[in-house]
């Protein structure tokens, strides 16, 4: 049981380049999330998806797009990377309204540097 | 909106010392409360949780009690080890607040350093 798997683990981009961060979960969870972690800021929610086919903005959505490809996969896209998007990105999943516990399960993170 | 406030570090203790990391929250509904731990270079792991008032979560010698009257969820451990060195996050999830984004709301994290 792999849980939540993110790829890649590390990435360096030049300003203006685009990339997609991939996330997949094998726990049959309905809800999936993308967070960013910055020093002294904790984790902040970028986007979430409560179910397949739906996505909603979180606290810091500007500069990002997401796609809930199917129940397992939730990708995060940076169309034109900026240095302010240098961060560690975490994908998570949970399923409290589907009868599961309320906690979220996290992937190992993607460390992104934009130069 | 919901918010979590926790003591910021780094907190440096000697091995076998008593640990308290304070956490207080603001929420409009009836949140579940969590402590997550992050070891260097890794993702967040759930350490313990409490889903209603007066519940006590416990795991690996750590404990925290959900205190609704003081809106607090302080993390404690009686005797810390070097292996407890990590960043600890307090978080809440308010499933039935009637609005706003889903997902956990996190504190800024407390970096704990245990010296031998």
């Amino acid at each position: 049981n792999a849980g939540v798997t993110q790829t890649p683990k590390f990435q360096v981009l030049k300003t203006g380049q685009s990339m997609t961060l991939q996330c997949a979960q094998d726990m049959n969870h309905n809800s999936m999330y993308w967070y960013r972690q910055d020093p002294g800021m904790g984790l902040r929610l970028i986007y979430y998806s409560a179910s397949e086919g739906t996505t909603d903005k979180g606290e810091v959505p500007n500069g990002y797009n997401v796609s809930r490809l199917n129940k397992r996969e939730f990708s995060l896209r940076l169309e034109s990377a900026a240095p302010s998007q240098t961060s560690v990105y975490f994908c998570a999943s949970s399923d409290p309204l589907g009868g599961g516990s309320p906690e979220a399960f996290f992937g190992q993170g993607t460390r992104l540097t934009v130069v | 909106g919901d918010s979590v406030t926790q003591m910021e570090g780094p907190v440096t203790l000697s091995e076998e010392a008593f640990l308290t990391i304070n956490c207080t929250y603001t929420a409009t509904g009836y949140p579940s409360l969590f402590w997550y731990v992050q070891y260097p270079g890794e993702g967040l792991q759930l350490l313990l949780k409490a889903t209603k008032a007066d519940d006590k979560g416990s795991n690996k010698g750590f404990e925290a009690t959900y205190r609704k009257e003081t809106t607090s969820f302080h993390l404690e451990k009686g005797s810390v080890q070097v292996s407890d060195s990590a960043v600890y996050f307090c978080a809440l999830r308010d499933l039935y607040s009637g609005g706003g984004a889903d997902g956990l709301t996190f504190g800024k994290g407390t970096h704990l350093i245990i010296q031998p």
Side-chain angles (χ1 to χ4, degrees), chain B residues 18-48:
Chain B
F18 185 86
L19 168 70
T20 300
I21 301 178
N22 291 334
C23 172
T24 58
Y25 68 90
T26 302
T28 54
Y30 301 94
S32 296
L33 302 175
F34 311 90
W35 277 100
Y36 280 84
V37 59
Q38 184 180 33
Y39 298 102
E42 298 186 8
L44 277 73
Q45 304 173 27
L46 179 68
L47 180 60
L48 53 84

Coordinates of all heavy atoms in Angstrom, one line a residue, chain B residues 18-48:
Chain B
F18 N 11.1 17.1 29.8 CA 9.6 17.2 29.6 C 9.4 18.2 28.5 O 9.9 19.3 28.5 CB 8.9 17.6 30.9 CG 7.4 17.5 30.7 CD1 6.7 16.3 30.9 CD2 6.7 18.6 30.4 CE1 5.3 16.3 30.8 CE2 5.3 18.6 30.2 CZ 4.6 17.4 30.5
L19 N 8.5 17.8 27.6 CA 8.1 18.6 26.4 C 6.7 19.1 26.5 O 5.8 18.3 26.8 CB 8.3 17.8 25.1 CG 7.8 18.5 23.9 CD1 8.6 19.7 23.5 CD2 7.7 17.5 22.7
T20 N 6.5 20.4 26.3 CA 5.2 20.9 26.0 C 5.3 21.9 24.8 O 6.2 22.8 24.8 CB 4.6 21.8 27.2 OG1 4.5 20.9 28.3 CG2 3.3 22.3 26.8
I21 N 4.5 21.7 23.8 CA 4.4 22.6 22.7 C 2.9 23.1 22.7 O 2.0 22.3 22.5 CB 4.7 22.0 21.3 CG1 6.1 21.4 21.3 CG2 4.5 23.0 20.2 CD1 6.5 20.7 20.0
N22 N 2.8 24.4 22.9 CA 1.4 25.0 23.0 C 0.8 25.2 21.6 O 1.4 25.5 20.6 CB 1.5 26.3 23.7 CG 1.8 26.2 25.1 OD1 1.6 25.1 25.8 ND2 2.4 27.2 25.7
C23 N -0.6 24.9 21.6 CA -1.4 25.1 20.4 C -2.7 25.6 20.8 O -3.4 25.0 21.6 CB -1.5 23.8 19.6 SG -2.6 23.9 18.2
T24 N -3.2 26.7 20.2 CA -4.5 27.2 20.4 C -5.2 27.4 19.0 O -4.5 27.6 18.0 CB -4.6 28.5 21.2 OG1 -3.8 29.5 20.5 CG2 -4.0 28.3 22.6
Y25 N -6.5 27.4 19.0 CA -7.1 27.5 17.7 C -8.4 28.4 17.7 O -8.9 28.7 18.8 CB -7.6 26.1 17.2 CG -8.7 25.4 18.1 CD1 -10.0 25.6 17.8 CD2 -8.3 24.7 19.2 CE1 -11.0 25.1 18.6 CE2 -9.3 24.1 20.0 CZ -10.6 24.3 19.7 OH -11.6 23.8 20.5
T26 N -8.8 28.8 16.6 CA -10.0 29.5 16.4 C -10.8 28.8 15.3 O -10.2 28.6 14.2 CB -9.8 31.0 16.0 OG1 -9.0 31.6 17.0 CG2 -11.1 31.7 15.8
A27 N -12.0 28.5 15.6 CA -12.8 27.8 14.6 C -14.3 28.1 14.8 O -14.7 28.4 15.9 CB -12.6 26.2 14.7
T28 N -15.1 28.1 13.7 CA -16.5 28.5 13.8 C -17.4 27.3 14.1 O -18.4 27.5 14.6 CB -16.9 29.1 12.5 OG1 -16.6 28.3 11.4 CG2 -16.2 30.5 12.2
G29 N -16.9 26.1 13.8 CA -17.7 24.9 14.0 C -17.2 24.0 15.1 O -16.8 24.5 16.1
Y30 N -17.1 22.7 14.8 CA -16.7 21.8 15.8 C -15.5 21.0 15.2 O -15.7 19.9 14.6 CB -17.8 20.8 16.2 CG -19.0 21.6 16.8 CD1 -20.0 22.0 16.0 CD2 -19.0 22.0 18.1 CE1 -21.1 22.8 16.5 CE2 -20.1 22.7 18.6 CZ -21.1 23.1 17.8 OH -22.1 23.8 18.3
P31 N -14.3 21.5 15.3 CA -13.2 20.9 14.5 C -12.7 19.6 15.1 O -12.8 19.4 16.3 CB -12.1 22.0 14.5 CG -12.4 22.7 15.8 CD -13.9 22.7 16.0
S32 N -12.0 18.9 14.3 CA -11.1 17.8 14.7 C -9.7 18.4 14.8 O -9.4 19.3 14.0 CB -11.1 16.6 13.7 OG -12.4 16.0 13.7
L33 N -8.9 18.0 15.7 CA -7.6 18.5 16.0 C -6.5 17.5 15.8 O -6.7 16.3 16.1 CB -7.5 19.1 17.4 CG -8.5 20.2 17.7 CD1 -8.4 20.6 19.2 CD2 -8.4 21.4 16.8
F34 N -5.4 17.9 15.3 CA -4.3 17.0 14.9 C -2.9 17.6 15.3 O -2.7 18.8 15.3 CB -4.3 16.7 13.4 CG -5.6 16.4 12.8 CD1 -6.4 17.4 12.3 CD2 -6.0 15.1 12.7 CE1 -7.6 17.1 11.7 CE2 -7.2 14.8 12.1 CZ -8.1 15.8 11.6
W35 N -2.0 16.6 15.6 CA -0.6 17.0 15.5 C 0.1 16.1 14.5 O -0.1 14.9 14.5 CB 0.1 16.7 16.9 CG -0.1 17.8 17.9 CD1 -1.0 17.9 18.9 CD2 0.6 19.0 17.9 NE1 -0.9 19.1 19.5 CE2 0.1 19.8 19.0 CE3 1.7 19.6 17.2 CZ2 0.6 21.1 19.3 CZ3 2.2 20.8 17.5 CH2 1.6 21.5 18.6
Y36 N 0.8 16.8 13.6 CA 1.6 16.1 12.6 C 3.1 16.3 12.9 O 3.4 17.4 13.4 CB 1.3 16.7 11.2 CG 0.0 16.1 10.5 CD1 -1.2 16.7 10.8 CD2 0.1 15.1 9.6 CE1 -2.4 16.2 10.2 CE2 -1.1 14.6 9.0 CZ -2.3 15.2 9.3 OH -3.4 14.7 8.7
V37 N 3.9 15.4 12.5 CA 5.3 15.5 12.6 C 6.0 15.4 11.3 O 5.6 14.6 10.4 CB 5.9 14.4 13.6 CG1 5.6 13.0 13.2 CG2 7.4 14.6 13.8
Q38 N 7.1 16.2 11.1 CA 7.8 16.1 9.8 C 9.3 16.0 10.1 O 9.9 16.9 10.7 CB 7.6 17.4 9.0 CG 8.3 17.4 7.7 CD 8.0 18.7 6.9 OE1 7.9 19.8 7.5 NE2 7.9 18.6 5.6
Y39 N 9.9 14.9 9.7 CA 11.3 14.6 9.9 C 12.0 15.2 8.7 O 11.4 15.4 7.6 CB 11.6 13.1 10.0 CG 10.9 12.6 11.3 CD1 9.7 11.8 11.2 CD2 11.5 12.8 12.5 CE1 9.1 11.3 12.3 CE2 10.8 12.3 13.7 CZ 9.7 11.5 13.5 OH 9.1 11.0 14.7
P40 N 13.3 15.5 8.8 CA 14.0 16.2 7.7 C 13.8 15.5 6.4 O 14.1 14.3 6.3 CB 15.4 16.2 8.2 CG 15.3 16.2 9.7 CD 14.1 15.4 10.0
G41 N 13.5 16.3 5.4 CA 13.4 15.7 4.0 C 12.2 14.8 3.7 O 12.1 14.2 2.7
E42 N 11.3 14.8 4.7 CA 10.1 13.9 4.5 C 8.8 14.6 4.5 O 8.8 15.8 4.8 CB 10.1 12.8 5.7 CG 11.3 11.9 5.7 CD 11.2 10.8 6.7 OE1 10.1 10.7 7.3 OE2 12.2 10.1 6.9
G43 N 7.7 13.9 4.2 CA 6.4 14.5 4.3 C 5.9 14.5 5.7 O 6.6 14.2 6.7
L44 N 4.6 14.9 5.9 CA 4.0 15.0 7.2 C 3.4 13.7 7.5 O 2.7 13.0 6.7 CB 2.9 16.1 7.2 CG 3.4 17.5 7.4 CD1 4.1 18.0 6.2 CD2 2.2 18.4 7.8
Q45 N 3.6 13.3 8.8 CA 3.0 12.0 9.3 C 2.0 12.4 10.5 O 2.4 13.2 11.3 CB 4.1 11.1 9.8 CG 5.1 10.7 8.9 CD 6.2 9.9 9.5 OE1 6.0 9.2 10.6 NE2 7.4 10.0 9.0
L46 N 0.9 11.8 10.5 CA 0.0 12.0 11.6 C 0.6 11.5 12.9 O 1.0 10.3 12.9 CB -1.4 11.4 11.3 CG -2.4 11.5 12.4 CD1 -2.8 13.0 12.5 CD2 -3.6 10.6 12.2
L47 N 0.7 12.3 13.9 CA 1.2 11.8 15.2 C 0.0 11.4 16.1 O 0.1 10.3 16.7 CB 2.0 12.9 15.8 CG 2.6 12.6 17.2 CD1 3.6 11.5 17.1 CD2 3.3 13.9 17.8
L48 N -1.0 12.3 16.2 CA -2.1 11.9 17.0 C -3.3 12.9 16.6 O -3.1 13.9 16.0 CB -1.8 12.0 18.5 CG -1.2 13.3 19.1 CD1 -2.3 14.3 19.4 CD2 -0.4 13.0 20.4

